[in-house]
Amino acid sequence: MDQAERLRNIIKAGSIASQSKSQARVITVTSGKGGVGKSNTAINLAVQFRKMGKKVIILDADFGLANIEIMFGAVPKHNLFDLIYQGKNIREIITRGPMEIGFISGGSGIAGMSNLSKDYLNYIIKNLSELDTIADIILVDTGAGIADAVLEFLVASGEILLVTTPEPASITDSYSLLKALNRHPRFSNEDTQVKIIANKVESPNEGNMLFNKLNSVVNRYLKIPIVYLGAIPQDSQLTRAVMQQMPVCIQAPASKSSAAYEMIAAGLLNPEKSKNVPKRGMTAFFSHIITGKR
């Protein structure tokens, strides 16, 4: 039995063991370039999900930056590296932010997961499967751009939120990201839903125009179906909240940006619209990443 087959057997055993548990909905938030409000979107959607009664955890998978912890105003004591290499359990590496939103810092732990022993993989998969009992929704905040690490998270996810802005460079970079994703050998457009959020728009019409422009070129060259979720307006109260390291949906719940996040979150949780969304859970999500590295 080769190494890859042993890994598949471990993953299969972990998946079978977790079938009796409910599986969390894993939503990956990404962008084609930095500075478009990706992490801010992840945090404020998390707040709105909490207001709707959902248990939420954010996994900060942007290893080069610490955007989530900065916006939360909380410094984690542990990260995913400590789970993998220091013997911490999954609950010990979760930091609680506003409204008891859980936060896990990715650190640099995932990079070496493909080289772990059978016992370690069993341990990690068992721990990661516990997230499905802790959370209803897990938001994975990736890095920006088309780096291999970003693409690995995207191909492992059944649901991708792509944040873009009306700036021509942002639209172009969003298309480049989708193009790179489409070329990835393990990407399946049948098993993946890509949803667009237009950020920093002056009006709803500008958001619609942005999506139509992106959708036109994607349909022509990539054949990836993309769905428009909605737009977040330019909002001075959002800017003020970011400066004060608070989610705008907590600091200014009556603001126009908060209302927009609420509408998008409600759309994501709409039973009719979400009935076909795959709920793979964290075991399947990380298993996909590990197998890809083998």
Side-chain angles (χ1 to χ4, degrees):
M1 184 185 299
D2 64 16
Q3 191 178 41
E5 187 174 353
R6 285 197 300 272
L7 175 61
R8 284 190 291 270
N9 289 338
I10 293 170
I11 291 166
K12 182 179 179 181
S15 298
I16 292 172
S18 64
Q19 281 178 356
S20 60
K21 305 174 184 177
S22 60
Q23 292 190 323
R25 181 172 172 181
V26 181
I27 302 174
T28 303
V29 186
T30 194
S31 63
K33 68 186 294 289
V36 302
K38 168 183 57 64
S39 297
N40 204 41
T41 296
I43 287 175
N44 282 289
L45 287 178
V47 171
Q48 293 297 350
F49 288 143
R50 282 293 296 132
K51 290 182 179 181
M52 296 173 188
K54 299 298 182 181
K55 294 176 291 184
V56 186
I57 288 177
I58 302 175
L59 170 62
D60 188 353
D62 188 350
F63 302 140
L65 299 170
N67 287 334
I68 300 295
E69 60 188 75
I70 290 172
M71 292 180 187
F72 266 180
V75 179
K77 293 182 179 179
H78 304 291
N79 58 35
L80 199 58
F81 183 94
D82 296 311
L83 168 73
I84 298 171
Y85 301 106
Q86 302 298 328
K88 298 294 182 181
N89 65 52
I90 195 68
R91 294 178 185 270
E92 288 180 298
I93 69 168
I94 298 174
T95 301
R96 293 292 171 180
M99 297 180 66
E100 286 299 299
I101 296 170
F103 158 59
I104 297 176
S105 173
S108 58
I110 295 171
M113 287 178 73
S114 60
N115 299 317
L116 299 176
S117 68
K118 175 180 176 180
D119 288 341
Y120 253 95
L121 282 171
N122 274 320
Y123 170 77
I124 292 163
I125 290 172
K126 178 182 177 182
N127 266 274
L128 291 172
S129 70
E130 284 297 305
L131 286 175
D132 292 328
T133 68
I134 297 170
D136 301 309
I137 299 173
I138 299 169
L139 293 166
V140 181
D141 182 36
T142 76
I146 59 173
D148 289 344
V150 174
L151 294 175
E152 288 295 332
F153 281 105
L154 298 184
V155 298
S157 179
E159 190 172 9
I160 297 169
L161 306 188
L162 175 56
V163 182
T164 188
T165 72
E167 295 179 5
S170 179
I171 298 173
T172 300
D173 288 338
S174 294
Y175 173 76
S176 296
L177 175 63
L178 292 174
K179 184 178 179 181
L181 184 63
N182 191 55
R183 289 179 172 177
H184 196 285
R186 290 184 291 111
F187 173 71
S188 169
N189 60 13
E190 295 179 355
D191 300 323
T192 309
Q193 296 184 8
V194 180
K195 303 171 182 180
I196 308 299
I197 295 175
N199 195 25
K200 303 181 182 180
V201 301
E202 295 293 342
S203 67
N205 185 54
E206 185 176 42
N208 288 322
M209 289 175 61
L210 184 162
F211 173 75
N212 290 335
K213 187 182 299 183
L214 181 60
N215 192 38
S216 176
V217 68
V218 168
N219 278 337
R220 182 174 181 181
Y221 295 108
L222 302 183
K223 309 301 181 185
I224 296 178
I226 60 176
V227 176
Y228 185 49
L229 280 183
I232 310 299
Q234 291 274 18
D235 186 0
S236 60
Q237 293 192 71
L238 189 153
T239 303
R240 191 176 304 117
V242 170
M243 295 296 293
Q244 295 177 4
Q245 295 179 248
M246 282 289 291
V248 70
C249 293
I250 292 178
Q251 179 162 299
S255 65
K256 57 185 180 179
S257 55
S258 293
Y261 283 122
E262 181 179 10
M263 185 175 297
I264 290 174
L268 285 166
L269 294 187
N270 183 300
E272 188 63 29
K273 293 181 180 179
S274 62
K275 63 183 179 181
N276 296 321
V277 173
K279 291 183 71 174
R280 299 176 181 173
M282 287 306 284
T283 301
F285 180 83
F286 273 99
S287 297
H288 200 291
I289 293 172
I290 298 168
T291 51
K293 291 177 175 292
R294 290 280 174 166

